[in-house]
């Protein structure tokens, strides 16, 4: 037994420190590669998190925070490290309907946080596909995005305050509940999006919004790329500020999710080059539905769209969203490589064509590229296939996907973080001065380099 495991066992008891095959088995249950942790500890309080980090600091032991383990960039990879799981810190501490705030522990699933807000007649706008497993702390640490960024922004815009534990175990409690608070540095931003490399978030105060009482959803077909931003502009202007989602599917993705073995039914005939899922969230069902019909009618008249279907029931709405969420279909023809990038809308058509051409030139008929994404906020998801999978092939595919972004000001990571997988390409999206400042912050706040080591930047 290692010294750190002995110290943790002495502090928490043998039953509270998971090691050996039991730890490796838990690590195999995640979405992504997690490695074999030296031990897994599951604190119940911020004080216990502080104790764990103080002991790790004393022993110079790397610690990797674990949330819902739904990340896709190996940000929770914990080979030889102590995995600090926040699964027991999942409580909703307070809902304040007057101030419209929600205070939760970091291990609280996003879905549970949203349900607590809804029970109080309020609304937490952050929504991602892994809502049932992903935690508030994980969403904060990666600055998660999702389906409603177009209207309400990334996770950062929903965080008013937080509590974090530093590398040496010191607790920084900054549970601000004010929308306006310019009293010095806003320290929460050190931890939002830093993937647990500067400190571990244990509690958060989230900003809630009035709960929408109307929802209107439509599926439309578009026959040329330049019509997509035109439709986005028309919808943004014509829907009275209620547009909350603008999800675009290239034809290859739409074909996959509407043909067997997929269970989805095509709401519109296949054959268009692009399909868009639009959704509004508002407060007047009749007026909101009327505005959506007007916008789509004008778009049809102007030739911006070629066909449209409006959901007439909750079942139809859910069926439309199920198509967008059925990402698993992209793996049915062989191994894949998944990417999450962002770039200006005006650059997207040429960028996708360039990536598709590069894959085809290198792998011929074995190459495939499936594209979809939150186009309204500049975020594309690309799923590439080249007929096989290996570390060497992955590097080649990554170069084809990430390489063109540098010259057009794009980002290698729109909403999934950097983790280990994208670290080698960080220089394409961040300047040398920015990366140097990241290193200075890391050194200042974690001089021994024990917090989620190797993630984002090499340590």
């Amino acid at each position: 037994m290692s010294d750190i495991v002995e110290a943790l066992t002495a502090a928490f008891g043998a039953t509270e420190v998971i090691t050996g095959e039991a730890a490796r088995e838990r690590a195999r249950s995640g979405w992504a590669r997690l490695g074999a942790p030296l031990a897994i500890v599951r604190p119940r309080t911020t004080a216990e998190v502080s104790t764990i980090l103080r002991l790790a600091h004393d022993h110079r032991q790397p610690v990797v925070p674990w949330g819902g383990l739904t990340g896709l960039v190996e940000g929770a990879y914990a080979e030889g490290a102590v995995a600090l799981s926040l699964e027991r810190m999942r409580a909703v501490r307070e809902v304040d309907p007057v101030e419209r705030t929600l205070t939760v522990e970091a291990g609280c699933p996003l879905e549970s946080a949203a349900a607590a807000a809804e029970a109080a007649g309020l609304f937490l706008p952050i929504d991602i596909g892994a809502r049932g497993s992903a935690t508030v702390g994980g969403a904060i640490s990666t600055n998660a995005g999702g389906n409603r960024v177009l209207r309400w922004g990334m996770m950062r815009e929903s965080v008013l305050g937080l509590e974090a534990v530093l590398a040496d175990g010191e607790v920084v409690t900054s549970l601000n509940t004010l929308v306006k608070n310019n009293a010095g540095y806003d320290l929460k931003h050190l931890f939002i999006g830093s993937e647990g490399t500067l400190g571990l978030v244990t509690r958060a105060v989230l900003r809630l919004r009035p709960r929408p009482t109307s929802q209107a959803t439509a599926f439309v077909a578009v026959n040329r790329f330049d019509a997509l931003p035109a439709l986005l502009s028309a919808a943004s202007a014509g829907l009275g500020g209620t547009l909350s989602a603008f999800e675009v599917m290239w034809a290859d993705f739409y074909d996959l999710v509407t043909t067997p073995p997929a269970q989805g039914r095509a709401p519109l005939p296949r054959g268009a080059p692009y399909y868009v899922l639009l959704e509004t969230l508002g407060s007047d069902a009749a007026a909101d539905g009327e505005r959506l019909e007007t916008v789509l009618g004008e778009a049809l008249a102007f030739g911006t769209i070629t066909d449209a279907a409006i959901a007439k029931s909750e079942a139809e709405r859910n069926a439309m969203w199920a198509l967008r969420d059925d990402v698993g279909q992209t793996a049915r023809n062989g191994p894949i490589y998944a990417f999450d990038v962002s770039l200006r809308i005006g650059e997207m058509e040429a960028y996708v064509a360039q990536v598709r051409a590069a894959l085809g030139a290198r792998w011929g008929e074995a190459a495939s590229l499936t594209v979809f994404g939150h186009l309204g906020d500049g975020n594309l998801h690309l799923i590439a296939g080249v007929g096989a999978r290996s570390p060497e092939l992955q590097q080649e595919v990554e170069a084809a996907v990430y390489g063109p972004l540098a010259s057009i000001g794009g980002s290698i990571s729109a909403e999934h973080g950097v983790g280990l997988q994208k670290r080698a390409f960080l220089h394409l999206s961040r300047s040398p001065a920015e990366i140097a400042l990241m290193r200075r912050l890391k050194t200042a706040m974690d001089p021994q380099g024990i917090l989620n080591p190797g993630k984002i930047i090499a340590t």
Side-chain angles (χ1 to χ4, degrees), residues 228-240 243 246 278 295 298-299 302 304:
L228 293 172
L231 176 62
L232 175 61
S233 295
S236 297
L239 293 174
L243 181 64
F246 192 89
L278 302 95
V295 166
E298 291 176 351
F302 287 124
T304 308

Side-chain angles (χ1 to χ4, degrees), residues 43 114 116 127 134 144 233 240 268 315 365 459:
D127 183 51
S233 295
L268 297 173
E365 293 184 359
T459 55

Side-chain angles (χ1 to χ4, degrees), residues 362-431:
R362 171 63 177 83
W363 287 282
E365 293 184 359
S368 65
L369 185 67
T370 307
V371 186
F372 60 98
H374 321 289
L375 184 138
D377 51 55
N379 181 187
L380 291 184
H381 297 292
L382 294 87
I383 311 296
V386 297
R389 187 174 179 87
S390 72
E392 295 75 22
L393 286 174
Q394 180 166 340
Q395 290 178 4
E396 286 192 74
V397 177
E398 287 173 341
V401 172
Y402 295 141
L405 293 171
S407 63
I408 57 176
S411 174
I412 62 168
S413 181
E415 59 181 357
H416 291 169
V418 176
L420 288 179
Q421 283 193 357
K422 301 188 179 188
R423 190 182 69 187
F425 296 93
L426 184 62
H427 67 282
L428 297 178
S429 298
R430 297 297 188 190
S431 69

Side-chain angles (χ1 to χ4, degrees), residues 194-286:
S194 64
E195 301 185 38
T197 61
L198 302 181
L200 271 63
V201 175
T202 51
R203 286 189 291 169
V205 180
L206 305 179
R207 183 181 183 184
L208 302 180
R209 312 286 177 156
R211 182 167 63 88
T213 55
S214 75
Q215 188 175 13
T217 309
F219 225 98
V220 304
V222 177
N223 65 4
R224 64 188 193 281
F225 186 87
D226 63 2
L228 293 172
L231 176 62
L232 175 61
S233 295
S236 297
L239 293 174
T242 63
L243 181 64
S244 61
F246 192 89
E247 302 287 312
V248 176
M249 306 167 210
W250 269 242
D252 41 24
F253 182 85
Y254 186 71
D255 290 348
L256 277 175
V257 299
T258 58
T259 56
Q263 300 298 309
R265 183 185 65 82
L268 297 173
R270 287 181 287 274
Y274 307 100
Y275 294 85
V276 184
L277 175 61
L278 302 95
E279 185 161 271
T280 71
L281 293 172
S283 58
D284 187 329

Side-chain angles (χ1 to χ4, degrees), residues 127-381:
D127 183 51
I128 60 178
R131 63 187 69 85
S133 303
T135 63
V136 169
I140 290 172
S141 73
T142 57
N143 188 30
N147 302 324
R148 299 170 180 153
V149 171
L150 172 66
R151 182 168 172 187
W152 285 285
M154 304 282 280
M155 187 70 185
R156 186 182 302 278
E157 280 70 39
S158 290
V159 180
L160 290 174
L162 54 77
E163 176 182 77
V165 184
L166 304 183
D168 61 0
E170 182 178 357
V171 178
V172 177
T173 301
S174 184
L175 293 170
N176 170 67
T177 61
L178 304 175
V179 174
K180 289 186 173 181
N181 185 352
N182 281 343
Y185 303 146
D186 196 347
L187 297 176
K188 67 176 180 282
H189 293 296
L190 286 170
F191 307 102
I192 301 172
S194 64
E195 301 185 38
T197 61
L198 302 181
L200 271 63
V201 175
T202 51
R203 286 189 291 169
V205 180
L206 305 179
R207 183 181 183 184
L208 302 180
R209 312 286 177 156
R211 182 167 63 88
T213 55
S214 75
Q215 188 175 13
T217 309
F219 225 98
V220 304
V222 177
N223 65 4
R224 64 188 193 281
F225 186 87
D226 63 2
L228 293 172
L231 176 62
L232 175 61
S233 295
S236 297
L239 293 174
T242 63
L243 181 64
S244 61
F246 192 89
E247 302 287 312
V248 176
M249 306 167 210
W250 269 242
D252 41 24
F253 182 85
Y254 186 71
D255 290 348
L256 277 175
V257 299
T258 58
T259 56
Q263 300 298 309
R265 183 185 65 82
L268 297 173
R270 287 181 287 274
Y274 307 100
Y275 294 85
V276 184
L277 175 61
L278 302 95
E279 185 161 271
T280 71
L281 293 172
S283 58
D284 187 329
D288 294 339
E290 204 171 288
R291 276 195 293 263
L292 180 60
E293 289 187 12
T294 298
V295 166
L296 296 183
E298 291 176 351
L300 280 166
F302 287 124
T304 308
I305 65 177
T306 58
D307 203 353
I310 297 177
K312 299 300 184 184
S313 66
E314 184 70 16
E316 289 186 7
R317 178 180 299 116
N318 291 339
M320 288 180 178
W321 273 107
L323 297 177
R324 166 59 182 82
D325 292 340
D326 195 10
V327 180
Q329 295 300 326
T330 60
R332 76 189 193 198
N333 295 322
I336 58 172
Y337 302 89
F339 299 92
D340 155 53
V341 302
S342 63
L343 62 159
R344 291 186 294 273
I345 296 174
E347 305 280 2
M348 287 182 179
E349 184 178 24
Y351 167 75
V352 170
Q354 184 175 354
V355 173
R356 199 182 299 277
L359 296 176
R362 171 63 177 83
W363 287 282
E365 293 184 359
S368 65
L369 185 67
T370 307
V371 186
F372 60 98
H374 321 289
L375 184 138
D377 51 55
N379 181 187
L380 291 184
H381 297 292

